[in-house]
Amino acid sequence: MIVKPFNPTTTPAMLIYSPAYLDYDFGAGHPFSPVRQRMVLSLLSAWGVELRVAEPEPVDDLDLLLVHSEEFVRAVQGASELSWVPGIKRFGLDTPDVPCFPGMDEACRVLVGGAVLGAKFILSGQQSRMLHLGGGLHHALPGRASGFCVYNDLSVAIRHFQEAGMRVAYIDIDVHHGDGVQWTHYDEPDVLTISLHEDGRFLFPGTGGVDERGEGDGIGTCINVPLAPYTGDESYLQAFERVVPPALERFRPDVLVVQAGADAHSFDPLAHLDVSTRLYAELHRRLYQLADAYTGGKILVTLGGGYNPDATSRVWAMLVARHLGVTPLDAIPEPWRKRWTESTGTVLSRTLHDEDEAGDGTLEATEI
């Protein structure tokens, strides 16, 4: 059940999703599981949320080669067919993080297609804000897969905006540094990358220090905010407010591209930050507010990391609600909770917000 519409728009917001997203599956036991999207969609259905969904097609080589080397694309195709690829590990493939599976290339191309479709909706003027309910593969590099990421959907979408002459501000709230996007655009003056993440001295991929500022014509267009382990809501929000709005004010982007990973949550098993659902609700609010302030509302959002099924499904359900302009009730539907508790083997929360702080989901920004 959905109550209290807010910030209504004349054109209803849309999601981008395909059942083929579930094919991006590294197998049982791998943390990057398509179960996360299934949980979010079924939770929205349990609330009775009506969705407008656009389904993407797989991208072709022309899109992939905007970012990736031809040698790498051919290696992914070969690995996808489980054929022998000489020196496969130099491409970051056939590793514990990125094991090969049949159909991997096609599954990756559909995810990239989601981000590209979102960019095309925005470029055409049909929509100002788009949410890609997948992707966020921010570790993928031009010639190498990394950190559960094969093709970089974010950078391919950014290339489409660049080709249209737009200045792009990329904001990454995943707990891991957005290294693939950063290095891809490191010398480009028309792309600003901002990543808030756990300090690379303590967490994969080990990069994202404050000394990484861009190079050549792109010097100063790379901003990293490494956060100490156990950083909580107030400190995270203060860092966000000190850095992101002033950077956007100086850069003056035409569009925001956001990687909205949910793995900074205190429940997440792969990191060490200590933030709550209340912080995420405020971040989502601020990101859409900043798009309204600086880009005329133009924003493309993707998912990303998030490895605790309870926290991740709730955080992303809140993101979808924010995107659609509705506020869900705090109570989680009991049939949904029982179903997914049994399915995941994880006892799921009874409330949308963390149960020790259930409320209106707001967190007051610190005055800077």
Side-chain angles (χ1 to χ4, degrees):
M1 180 177 182
I2 297 298
V3 298
K4 290 196 322 186
F6 59 83
N7 296 332
T9 57
T10 53
T11 304
M14 293 179 64
L15 303 178
I16 297 171
Y17 179 76
S18 168
Y21 286 6
L22 304 181
D23 295 336
Y24 191 81
D25 187 353
F26 293 112
H30 194 285
F32 199 90
S33 170
V35 167
R36 304 172 307 161
Q37 283 111 310
R38 291 175 56 207
M39 291 180 71
V40 173
L41 287 167
S42 65
L43 179 55
L44 295 166
S45 177
W47 273 324
V49 180
E50 294 185 9
L51 304 177
R52 295 179 68 228
V53 179
E55 186 169 341
E57 298 291 332
V59 295
D60 59 21
D61 283 0
L62 290 177
D63 278 310
L64 293 180
L65 295 177
L66 293 172
V67 170
H68 295 288
S69 70
E70 185 167 2
E71 184 183 27
F72 175 64
V73 172
R74 301 299 165 245
V76 174
Q77 289 177 317
S80 179
E81 298 166 0
L82 299 184
S83 58
W84 182 69
V85 177
I88 190 171
K89 285 187 168 53
R90 70 186 172 94
F91 298 107
L93 301 168
D94 193 29
T95 66
D97 275 1
V98 190
C100 301
F101 60 91
M104 181 172 66
D105 177 67
E106 181 77 2
C108 297
R109 287 173 185 257
V110 175
L111 283 174
V112 177
V116 169
L117 181 58
K120 289 180 176 179
F121 267 108
I122 293 170
L123 287 168
S124 70
Q126 296 177 68
Q127 293 283 319
S128 60
R129 61 181 192 235
M130 295 297 299
L131 173 56
H132 169 28
L133 206 64
L137 305 179
H138 62 164
H139 295 307
L141 295 155
R144 181 164 57 87
S146 177
F148 316 156
C149 306
V150 180
Y151 295 140
N152 195 318
D153 60 309
L154 294 153
S155 285
V156 175
I158 289 170
R159 286 279 187 254
H160 279 265
F161 289 126
Q162 288 179 288
E163 289 186 340
M166 299 178 76
R167 292 168 63 80
V168 182
Y170 170 74
I171 303 172
D172 191 319
I173 59 171
D174 194 287
V175 78
H176 301 90
H177 176 228
D179 58 330
V181 178
Q182 172 182 294
W183 300 125
T184 298
H185 306 282
Y186 203 54
D187 61 353
E188 298 172 6
D190 55 347
V191 179
L192 171 69
T193 63
I194 307 173
S195 178
L196 296 96
H197 50 267
E198 184 175 339
D199 193 315
R201 292 175 295 177
F202 307 100
L203 192 68
F204 176 90
T207 53
V210 295
D211 57 331
E212 296 167 15
R213 301 179 53 244
E215 64 183 10
D217 291 340
I219 190 74
T221 59
C222 172
I223 300 173
N224 286 300
V225 185
L227 301 167
Y230 310 112
T231 293
D233 288 5
E234 296 292 347
S235 295
Y236 190 116
L237 185 60
Q238 186 178 66
F240 182 96
E241 291 294 343
R242 283 186 180 274
V243 172
V244 178
L248 297 180
E249 178 68 27
R250 290 193 299 271
F251 184 74
R252 291 288 170 173
D254 298 305
V255 63
L256 299 187
V257 175
V258 175
Q259 201 270 24
D263 46 2
H265 192 277
S266 59
F267 291 0
D268 202 274
L270 300 190
H272 315 96
L273 296 194
D274 190 28
V275 308
S276 73
T277 54
R278 292 170 67 86
L279 184 277
Y280 275 107
E282 179 62 16
L283 289 178
H284 300 159
R285 185 189 72 82
R286 288 292 286 130
L287 287 163
Y288 281 88
Q289 185 181 66
L290 289 167
D292 288 340
Y294 290 103
T295 69
K298 296 182 182 68
I299 182 171
L300 170 62
V301 184
T302 76
L303 302 186
Y307 307 102
N308 176 276
D310 178 34
T312 301
S313 59
R314 291 183 292 126
V315 168
W316 284 344
M318 288 191 294
L319 173 63
V320 174
R322 170 60 58 180
H323 179 77
L324 297 179
V326 296
T327 301
L329 296 175
D330 196 55
I332 297 292
E334 190 61 19
W336 181 91
R337 194 185 73 84
K338 288 182 176 179
R339 171 195 171 189
W340 286 104
T341 291
E342 293 173 0
S343 178
T344 64
T346 301
V347 178
L348 302 181
S349 299
R350 297 179 183 275
T351 55
L352 182 62
H353 285 284
D354 297 332
E355 293 187 33
D356 60 349
E357 51 189 30
D360 62 4
T362 61
L363 178 70
E364 292 298 325
T366 304
E367 292 293 328
I368 305 299

